[in-house]
């Protein structure tokens, strides 16, 4: 097959591939150049949950999950550059997990949510 029609078709396909590559490379550039977003205050009080021995949990680090205190994948969709904290417990027990995302003992509440800084912050605002 040849002729001017084939040449036009090849050129159009090539342009399409090029624009797809540019789109992907610019997406990659955005992904890698983006500094991790700051965590946001999800709530201002901890959530008590029963953790089962041997189960792996993923605590939301970014504060954007709608399934607090656990991760729902929002950190990926919103390109935060943050990752959930995976953890396991040795024995089944009820604990208070942090939702303000300012704890110094993640994933557990350490009382930081009572600070003036957190109590004055808007829910959803960066730390
Ligand atoms: S909820 Fe974050 S320290 Fe208590």
């Amino acid at each position: 097959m040849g002729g001017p029609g084939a040449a036009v078709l090849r050129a159009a396909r090539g342009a399409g591939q090029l624009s797809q590559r540019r789109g992907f490379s610019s997406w990659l550039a955005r992904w890698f150049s983006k500094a991790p977003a700051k965590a946001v205050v999800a709530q201002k009080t901890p959530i008590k949950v029963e953790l089962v021995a041997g189960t792996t949990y993923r605590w939301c680090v970014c504060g954007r999950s709608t399934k607090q205190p656990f991760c729902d994948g929002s950190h990926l969709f919103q390109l935060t550059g943050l990752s959930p904290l995976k953890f396991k417990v040795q024995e089944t027990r009820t604990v208070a997990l942090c939702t303000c995302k300012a704890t110094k003992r993640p994933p557990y509440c350490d009382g930081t949510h009572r600070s003036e800084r957190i109590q004055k912050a808007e829910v959803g605002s960066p730390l």
Side-chain angles (χ1 to χ4, degrees):
M1 306 231 302
V8 169
L9 194 57
R10 275 197 303 274
R13 282 191 187 135
Q17 287 171 354
L18 187 62
S19 75
Q20 282 176 358
R21 278 197 297 266
R22 278 193 188 138
F24 182 68
S25 63
S26 74
W27 179 83
L28 270 181
R30 264 187 289 130
W31 178 268
F32 285 112
S33 68
K34 192 171 178 177
K38 288 186 172 186
V40 298
V41 177
Q43 294 178 29
K44 297 182 185 180
T45 54
I47 294 178
K48 281 189 179 176
V49 291
E50 184 180 74
L51 301 176
V52 177
T55 304
T56 300
Y57 296 95
R58 296 173 27 175
W59 178 71
C60 169
V61 167
C62 73
R64 291 160 175 86
S65 171
T66 58
K67 295 183 178 173
Q68 293 295 328
F70 300 112
C71 174
D72 70 353
S74 292
H75 64 281
L76 281 176
F77 303 122
Q78 297 184 33
L79 300 180
T80 63
L82 298 170
S83 301
L85 173 70
K86 282 186 186 175
F87 70 101
K88 258 185 200 182
V89 291
Q90 302 299 317
E91 59 190 46
T92 299
R93 61 192 171 120
T94 299
V95 298
L97 295 180
C98 173
T99 61
C100 76
K101 309 305 172 186
T103 182
K104 306 273 186 300
R105 273 188 333 124
Y108 304 104
C109 172
D110 69 354
T112 303
H113 65 273
R114 290 189 211 107
S115 70
E116 193 175 321
R117 178 175 71 110
I118 299 299
Q119 288 303 310
K120 283 189 172 178
E122 298 276 327
V123 168
S125 66
L127 289 172

